[in-house]
Structure formats: structure tokens, C-alpha cells
Amino acid sequence: MVVSIIGAVIGAMVAAFGLYYLVKEWKDPESKKIYGITTAIGAVIFVAMLIKLLVELL
């Protein structure tokens, strides 16, 4: 359960920081691609750990 919580927090932080820099560097196409992928990976990690946590609790 602790691993799921830590993973969810890390995933949310990666997604949030990726989104922040995506908005900040919106005009550079290469940066937009990199930060878009980073945001997507963080979101996938967050959702996966959230689902794992919900399965563990039920």
C-alpha cells in the first residue's frame, strides 16, 4: 500500500512538472514533444498506481 501511495505521488509530480514546462516552452516544437511525453508518462504512472491502490483497499 505504501508503494502505491509513493508511486501515485511521484507520478502526479512528474505529470505536473511536465505540464508546467510544456506550457512554459509551448513555442519550441522539440520541447513540446519531450514535455508532452513526460506528462503522459507521469499521468500513466499516476493512474496505474491509483488503480493498484484501489485494488489493494478493496
Side-chain angles (χ1 to χ4, degrees):
M1 186 164 124
V2 173
V3 173
S4 298
I5 294 171
I6 292 171
V9 169
I10 290 172
M13 288 173 57
V14 169
F17 288 127
L19 189 61
Y20 170 76
Y21 284 109
L22 179 66
V23 171
K24 188 175 178 183
E25 300 289 331
W26 188 251
K27 297 191 194 273
D28 185 19
E30 188 174 342
S31 293
K32 189 167 36 172
K33 180 180 176 183
I34 292 169
Y35 293 130
I37 292 170
T38 304
T39 302
I41 290 171
V44 167
I45 292 171
F46 174 71
V47 169
M49 289 296 131
L50 193 63
I51 290 171
K52 184 176 184 262
L53 182 62
L54 290 175
V55 168
E56 288 176 356
L57 290 176
L58 297 176

